[in-house]
Amino acid sequence: MHKSSKIIGFALFLVTVHLTAQNQLVFHMDFETMAATDNKIGYIMEAEGVHGKSVSLDGLTSYMELPSKTVKFPDNNFTIEAWLALQEYPWNWTGAFDNLENNKGVFFGVGAYGELGLFLGNGKSVVKAVADSITRLPHLKWNHIVATFEAKKGITLYVNGQKAGFTVYEGDILFNKNNSVWIGRGKTDTSPRDTERENSIKNKSKMIFDGLLDELKIYDKAFSQSEILDTYKRVKLANEQPLEWRRMPKGPEEMPNRFAAYHTRLNYDEKWERLWRVADDPDILVTFKDSPVRMIFWRGINYGPTWITENGIFTSNQSLEYFLEESGCNEHMSDKQCRYSHVRILEKNDARVVIHWRYALVSVLYDFPDYDKTTNWGDWADEYITIYPDQVAVRKQILHSHRFKQAFNDQTVALEGTYQFNESFVFSQPGESAYQNIDSVGVTMANLKGDIRSFKLHPLPEDEDKWEEENWVKEATIKKINSKSKNKSFNIFEKGSIAEPWVDQAFYTWNHWPVAQLPSDGRFTFVDDRPAHTALSNGSPIWKTEGIKHTAVSLYGMGQQSMEALIDLSKSWNESCTVKVSSEQVEFVKYDKYQRAHIFVNHADDIQDFSIRFNANSQQPFANGAFIIKNVGSSNFSISSDNPEVRIHKAIENKMSGDNLVVFVNHMSKKPFSIKISTNN
């Protein structure tokens, strides 16, 4: 959006009607004069125009409705023109000028691929003239669009002075002189073009321009090509490109160099932000010491945990999802307004950050499919994301569902189908294609045995057999997403889970999510002008069930580790090393995968100095990790190691049941080492 834009109040834009034969101008909107009236709908703004001011429409709410009496329609031949600067192509046909209804009237606008069109109604049917396929309006720049109708000949379209199409039509036009005119919106609500699923095709939405509109005129003459070219050349633009691509937010460029979590507001675009009914701190930003990597929980991604690389590539994981043909994808993506999805910081200190993400598995219409008619509850989820200073998070997923096990016939692995736990995405910013952010080798998979295989986005013929399931990595529980960055995101699952690649010759990108507000759960991307996501891999973890609560866990991180290092990380988490504590007062309880931590409990009122020995080895390495000592009282502690390479992060957790000492040990070892805990009382 242009930087000089400002909000307009309820306004009537200048509509001048010229009836003289001298200039043949019968309708003109120049958007200069404003007065209080009801013709403005939604959030309309003003910006620098071709001449003076233009109107800035948001693609979401804003358009104008003119009563028919304010519009002088030509009797037969005519020319209609306007200047447009498009931020995004519309989801489907959208009118700069539209009063076409019931096969009567005129539509002049742009389609989903940036193609110009003029549709004319004759009372019985509609004739549609569409620009040649090679003629598409450039984004962000001013475009002069023109259409002429000449009786007994047809319709001619022009873009920036050049002929863009001709359609023969020798019939009549039945102008809809008693119908209002919509400016910036199509009168036909519809679903986005290239919508994937039938449930979303049924959902009809307003089609509104996103960009700038200026100098909308109608003449009662069909101008020639030379006259139109001359009109175009006579306009001297002060700014040929008044718009810039939007960017999904990653937070301020300059941040304190520390491991920390912040409640904040991550702003996207002024027009989009104006819709949100939220306060100043709805989002969360996590930063890491001595690292450009960040993690965000943002409304535009419906709070799904999202890593951001050093060069600004966004990668994320899906929520829990329940799929039905009737309602489509029931998941966090469908909660466009975050009515149910929200996040909060439960814990933040030098040792770790814990985020609680709660959401409902709803459709894009906010329905709960197959809800429990006894309790009136549908499927809900709680996720606890425990983030450590080494950029590795533990993702504990809890699904509350009355029907979950029946969907999988009481299996213990969430096979692809009705329910889904994990799906890896790479996002594209507006103006970027997926190929700018994803390496040609899209995904690398591995198992605990050390088998590793990479999979290309578009395999060569000699590699196609790798896509046969029998050639995949057997028992793969590790996947790395190969973004075009030094730091790459990865997932590690428990033994017995299933991870599989999705990149293949049917390599798809969708832009119904993130950011988009239309009720759609599947829209293929063929134009790179909106935020979009590309799904590269699926993960099906094992789970544990207690009543209606079903729990799965995985590691979700970002870094520069090799696959061999990720295998060691998986071993350290899946097959943690044994420990030995030197004190009889402190008891080892268990290794907790949900916290990536060895758990101890103190039984003494006055804790004494002691040490913990981690018996790391090649099969049970220590690849960073935490330990927690419960019930430590009010003691102050110092932590040291017999290995000078060990880095320590510690904190005291204040719980209702007592204070806990949380220590994160940043160290990779396949040999035993010790940590000493000393009291400073």
Side-chain angles (χ1 to χ4, degrees), residues 487-528:
N487 292 279
K488 305 178 191 299
S489 66
F490 58 85
N491 295 90
I492 297 174
F493 302 98
E494 290 186 280
K495 289 188 298 183
S497 302
I498 298 173
E500 59 187 26
W502 276 4
V503 288
D504 55 23
Q505 290 177 310
F507 172 57
Y508 294 125
T509 297
W510 296 265
N511 62 13
H512 63 278
W513 178 84
V515 173
Q517 295 293 292
L518 271 66
S520 173
D521 66 1
R523 198 257 190 167
F524 295 118
T525 299
F526 294 106
V527 179
D528 300 316

Side-chain angles (χ1 to χ4, degrees), residues 51-116:
H51 297 298
K53 299 173 183 176
S54 68
V55 64
S56 178
L57 306 177
D58 64 7
L60 300 162
T61 67
S62 54
Y63 66 101
M64 288 154 284
E65 183 173 6
L66 304 181
S68 59
K69 64 182 180 182
T70 66
V71 181
K72 171 67 177 178
F73 292 95
D75 293 326
N76 204 333
N77 295 353
F78 71 90
T79 298
I80 184 169
E81 70 168 332
W83 285 84
L84 272 178
L86 291 174
Q87 183 75 51
E88 303 168 333
Y89 289 161
W91 295 103
N92 214 323
W93 284 104
T94 301
F97 179 101
D98 191 7
N99 84 323
L100 179 61
E101 285 186 297
N102 300 319
N103 294 327
K104 294 184 289 185
V106 176
F107 169 94
F108 177 56
V110 178
Y113 291 169
E115 67 273 38
L116 178 63

Side-chain angles (χ1 to χ4, degrees), residues 1 58 60 87-88 91 210 244-251 264-276 278 282-283 296 298-301 314 428-431 511 513-517 528-532:
M1 187 188 63
D58 64 7
L60 300 162
Q87 183 75 51
E88 303 168 333
W91 295 103
D210 187 350
E244 297 177 355
W245 291 120
R246 295 166 176 147
R247 301 289 294 178
M248 292 189 292
K250 65 176 185 178
T264 185
R265 181 164 183 161
L266 299 169
N267 288 305
Y268 175 56
D269 173 78
E270 183 180 359
K271 298 175 180 179
W272 186 84
E273 290 290 340
R274 197 183 305 114
L275 296 176
W276 285 88
V278 295
D283 310 311
I296 62 169
W298 177 51
R299 289 161 291 135
I301 304 174
F314 288 53
S428 304
Q429 297 274 12
N511 62 13
W513 178 84
V515 173
Q517 295 293 292
D528 300 316
D529 58 356
R530 300 176 183 272

Side-chain angles (χ1 to χ4, degrees), residues 182 185-191 204-207:
W182 286 4
R185 176 184 172 183
K187 284 215 163 185
T188 302
D189 290 353
T190 186
S191 58
K204 309 304 180 184
S205 299
K206 296 179 288 187
M207 295 294 123

Side-chain angles (χ1 to χ4, degrees), residues 64-349:
M64 288 154 284
E65 183 173 6
L66 304 181
S68 59
K69 64 182 180 182
T70 66
V71 181
K72 171 67 177 178
F73 292 95
D75 293 326
N76 204 333
N77 295 353
F78 71 90
T79 298
I80 184 169
E81 70 168 332
W83 285 84
L84 272 178
L86 291 174
Q87 183 75 51
E88 303 168 333
Y89 289 161
W91 295 103
N92 214 323
W93 284 104
T94 301
F97 179 101
D98 191 7
N99 84 323
L100 179 61
E101 285 186 297
N102 300 319
N103 294 327
K104 294 184 289 185
V106 176
F107 169 94
F108 177 56
V110 178
Y113 291 169
E115 67 273 38
L116 178 63
L118 181 72
F119 305 163
L120 303 177
N122 58 23
K124 296 180 180 179
S125 62
V126 175
V127 59
K128 296 184 178 182
V130 179
D132 301 332
S133 60
I134 60 172
T135 305
R136 297 292 180 258
L137 301 183
H139 289 88
L140 312 178
K141 299 179 179 181
W142 281 114
N143 294 281
H144 184 226
I145 57 173
V146 183
T148 67
F149 170 73
E150 192 170 359
K152 308 305 179 183
K153 290 187 177 180
I155 301 165
T156 310
L157 303 173
Y158 301 87
V159 174
N160 295 329
Q162 301 300 312
K163 186 176 178 179
F166 174 75
T167 298
V168 175
Y169 178 60
E170 298 179 352
D172 298 321
I173 305 172
L174 187 59
F175 288 103
N176 206 341
K177 297 183 179 182
N178 297 319
N179 193 26
S180 63
V181 174
W182 286 4
I183 307 298
R185 176 184 172 183
K187 284 215 163 185
T188 302
D189 290 353
T190 186
S191 58
R193 183 174 176 175
D194 303 314
T195 294
E196 181 180 10
R197 279 179 278 273
E198 185 63 33
N199 65 287
S200 287
I201 292 174
K202 294 177 182 178
N203 300 331
K204 309 304 180 184
S205 299
K206 296 179 288 187
M207 295 294 123
I208 295 176
F209 274 125
D210 187 350
L212 309 180
L213 175 64
D214 201 5
E215 297 297 330
L216 177 60
K217 301 176 183 179
I218 301 177
Y219 304 85
D220 61 359
K221 171 188 174 181
F223 287 113
S224 67
Q225 183 172 355
S226 61
E227 289 173 311
I228 290 169
L229 179 60
D230 181 65
T231 298
Y232 171 70
K233 288 182 175 180
R234 279 190 282 111
V235 175
K236 304 301 179 184
L237 296 170
N239 185 2
E240 292 185 359
Q241 183 179 313
L243 303 173
E244 297 177 355
W245 291 120
R246 295 166 176 147
R247 301 289 294 178
M248 292 189 292
K250 65 176 185 178
E253 287 294 332
E254 299 297 326
M255 293 287 293
N257 183 23
R258 62 189 179 206
F259 174 55
Y262 307 89
H263 274 292
T264 185
R265 181 164 183 161
L266 299 169
N267 288 305
Y268 175 56
D269 173 78
E270 183 180 359
K271 298 175 180 179
W272 186 84
E273 290 290 340
R274 197 183 305 114
L275 296 176
W276 285 88
R277 273 55 173 168
V278 295
D280 295 333
D281 53 359
D283 310 311
I284 293 174
L285 168 63
V286 181
T287 59
F288 299 87
K289 184 175 176 59
D290 299 328
S291 173
V293 169
R294 297 180 177 189
M295 193 180 209
I296 62 169
F297 299 79
W298 177 51
R299 289 161 291 135
I301 304 174
N302 307 105
Y303 294 124
T306 301
W307 289 103
I308 305 176
T309 68
E310 79 286 345
N311 56 343
I313 297 174
F314 288 53
T315 68
S316 190
N317 272 193
Q318 182 184 280
S319 70
L320 288 154
E321 176 188 354
Y322 178 53
F323 180 80
L324 282 177
E325 288 293 338
E326 313 89 79
S327 59
C329 302
N330 303 280
E331 57 188 344
H332 80 302
M333 295 185 207
S334 298
D335 187 1
K336 305 289 186 176
Q337 298 177 345
C338 294
R339 297 184 191 178
Y340 300 119
S341 183
H342 68 270
V343 286
R344 56 180 177 159
I345 300 173
L346 293 184
E347 180 184 336
K348 61 175 182 176
N349 50 53

Side-chain angles (χ1 to χ4, degrees), residues 444-453 473 475-480 490-493 495 555 561-575 617-623 668 670:
T444 303
M445 317 289 285
N447 59 25
L448 284 170
K449 299 175 183 177
D451 300 323
I452 301 171
R453 177 168 289 177
V473 178
E475 300 177 351
T477 55
I478 304 165
K479 59 176 178 173
K480 180 165 69 173
F490 58 85
N491 295 90
I492 297 174
F493 302 98
K495 289 188 298 183
L555 296 185
Q561 298 96 323
S562 65
M563 289 303 292
E564 289 77 10
L566 292 180
I567 292 171
D568 283 339
L569 175 58
S570 178
K571 288 179 179 179
S572 73
W573 179 68
N574 269 294
E575 302 169 352
N617 57 66
S618 60
Q619 294 305 309
Q620 295 175 297
F622 187 93
M668 170 63 201
K670 295 182 180 180

